[in-house]
C-alpha cells in the first residue's frame, strides 16, 4: 500500500508530499550508513525529504574524496557543490568560459601574435626588406652614396632589433594567456570526469542494491509458492 500525503521526514520532522520524499530502507547502504552516523536518532524505517537526502549524498561524496588525501581540493569541492545542487556542470563551465572578460591588451596581443606567425607577415616583411635594400642601393648608386641608410644598413638593423624586442614579449603574453586557458580547460575536463565517475559509482551501487532487494523478493515469492504447493499436496493426500 502506498503511503498517503503528507509524509514526515525522519531527519527534520517536517511534512512533505510523497514525491518529495524517499524511503530510508530503499536507500543504498552507503547512504544509510552515512544517515545513521549523521542522525543516530532518526527512524530507520521512515522517510527522508530530498533536501536532507542531498545533504547525505554530499557527505558521502566528501568522505569518498577525502579518503585518499585526507582533504578535498578546491576542484573537488566545486564538484561536490554541483552534486549537492543537482546542476549540470558542463553548462556551468561553458557559461563561465564564455563570460570570461578579455582586456584590450590581451585582444591586441592575440591579434599581433596571430599575424606575426602567419605567411602574410613573412611575405610582407620580406617585401619591406627587399624594397628597403633596393631603394638604398639605387640611391647610393645614382647619388654617389647619399642614401638615407647606405650599406651595411645600420638603420634597418636598428628597426629589426626594435621590432624583435617588441614582438617577442607580445607573443609571449599571448602564449601565456593561451596556456592559462588550456590549463582551465584541463581543470574543467577533470571536474566533469570526476563528477561522472562519482555519479556512475553511485548509480552502480544503487543498481546493486536494487538487484539484491529484487532477488530477496523473488526468493520470498518462490518460498511462498513452494509452501502453497506443499499445502495443496497435503490436502490431496
Amino acid at each position: 500500500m502506498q503511503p498517503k500525503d503528507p509524509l514526515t521526514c525522519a531527519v527534520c520532522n517536517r511534512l512533505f508530499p510523497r514525491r518529495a520524499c524517499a524511503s530510508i530502507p530503499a536507500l543504498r547502504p552507503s547512504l544509510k550508513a552515512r544517515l545513521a552516523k549523521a542522525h543516530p536518532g532518526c527512524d530507520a524505517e521512515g522517510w527522508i525529504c530530498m533536501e536532507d537526502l542531498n545533504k547525505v549524498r554530499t557527505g558521502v561524496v566528501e568522505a569518498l574524496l577525502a579518503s585518499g588525501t585526507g582533504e578535498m581540493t578546491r576542484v573537488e569541492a566545486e564538484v561536490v557543490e554541483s552534486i549537492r545542487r543537482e546542476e549540470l556542470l558542463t553548462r556551468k563551465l561553458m557559461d563561465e568560459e564564455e563570460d570570461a572578460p578579455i582586456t584590450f591588451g590581451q585582444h591586441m596581443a592575440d591579434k599581433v601574435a596571430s599575424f606575426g606567425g602567419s605567411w602574410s607577415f613573412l611575405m610582407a616583411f620580406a617585401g619591406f626588406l627587399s624594397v628597403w635594400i633596393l631603394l638604398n642601393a639605387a640611391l647610393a648608386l645614382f647619388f654617389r652614396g647619399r642614401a638615407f641608410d647606405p650599406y651595411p644598413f645600420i638603420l634597418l638593423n636598428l628597426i629589426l632589433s626594435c621590432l624583435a624586442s617588441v614582438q617577442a614579449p607580445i607573443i609571449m603574453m599571448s602564449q601565456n594567456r593561451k596556456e592559462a586557458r588550456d590549463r582551465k580547460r584541463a581543470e574543467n575536463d577533470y571536474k566533469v570526469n570526476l563528477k561522472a565517475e562519482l555519479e556512475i559509482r553511485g548509480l552502480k551501487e544503487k543498481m546493486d542494491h536494487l538487484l539484491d532487494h529484487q532477488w530477496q523478493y523473488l526468493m520470498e515469492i518462490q518460498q511462498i509458492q513452494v509452501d502453497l504447493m506443499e499445502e495443496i499436496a497435503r490436502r490431496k493426500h
Side-chain angles (χ1 to χ4, degrees):
M1 181 181 297
Q2 292 294 331
K4 297 181 179 180
D5 293 340
L7 299 175
T8 302
C9 176
V11 176
C12 62
N13 294 322
R14 293 184 296 172
L15 296 177
F16 293 90
R18 171 66 182 86
R19 62 179 181 275
C21 295
S23 175
I24 293 180
L27 297 179
R28 305 194 306 270
S30 59
L31 294 179
K32 288 193 289 188
R34 180 72 183 184
L35 179 61
K37 181 178 179 181
H39 305 279
C42 70
D43 184 10
E45 300 297 328
W47 300 81
I48 182 173
C49 64
M50 291 302 175
E51 180 180 353
D52 291 324
L53 181 58
N54 286 335
K55 293 180 181 179
V56 174
R57 287 171 177 167
T58 303
V60 172
V61 174
E62 289 178 350
L64 179 64
L65 294 176
S67 61
T69 59
E71 61 180 5
M72 289 194 304
T73 62
R74 175 187 59 83
V75 175
E76 292 172 343
E78 292 179 2
V79 173
V80 171
E81 183 65 17
S82 69
I83 293 176
R84 185 183 68 83
R85 295 183 177 180
E86 297 184 347
E87 61 182 2
L88 189 61
L89 187 58
T90 53
R91 178 66 57 84
K92 178 182 177 182
L93 297 177
M94 290 177 60
D95 293 340
E96 289 179 354
E97 186 174 353
E98 292 177 357
D99 296 338
I102 179 173
T103 63
F104 176 77
Q106 292 174 338
H107 180 71
M108 289 301 299
D110 291 343
K111 290 295 184 181
V112 172
S114 178
F115 178 70
S118 63
W119 281 105
S120 300
F121 172 78
L122 293 177
M123 295 175 63
F125 197 65
F128 170 77
L129 293 178
S130 301
V131 171
W132 185 286
I133 294 173
L134 291 176
L135 179 60
N136 281 277
L139 292 176
L141 180 62
F142 291 105
F143 295 97
R144 298 180 181 181
R146 292 183 180 180
F148 60 89
D149 187 23
Y151 181 84
F153 311 112
I154 297 177
L155 180 58
L156 178 60
N157 290 328
L158 178 62
I159 294 175
L160 295 178
S161 300
C162 292
L163 179 62
S165 62
V166 172
Q167 189 180 26
I170 294 177
I171 294 177
M172 289 181 64
M173 285 189 293
S174 178
Q175 293 298 323
N176 290 337
R177 201 175 75 82
K178 290 181 179 179
E179 183 180 355
R181 187 166 61 245
D182 292 339
R183 285 198 301 268
K184 185 65 177 177
R185 288 178 178 174
E187 180 180 302
N188 293 341
D189 291 340
Y190 173 74
K191 290 180 184 178
V192 174
N193 293 334
L194 178 60
K195 183 177 181 181
E197 180 181 356
L198 294 173
E199 295 286 2
I200 292 174
R201 182 169 182 171
L203 182 61
K204 179 180 181 299
E205 185 179 356
K206 185 175 182 179
M207 290 297 296
D208 292 341
H209 178 65
L210 292 176
L211 289 175
D212 183 55
H213 272 254
Q214 189 70 19
W215 178 255
Q216 292 179 4
Y217 295 153
L218 291 176
M219 291 296 294
E220 292 177 2
I221 293 174
Q222 184 178 7
Q223 185 63 42
I224 293 174
Q225 291 175 345
V226 171
D227 294 340
L228 290 175
M229 293 176 65
E230 291 178 352
E231 181 66 22
I232 293 172
R234 283 196 301 268
R235 290 181 178 180
K236 288 183 177 182
H237 292 291

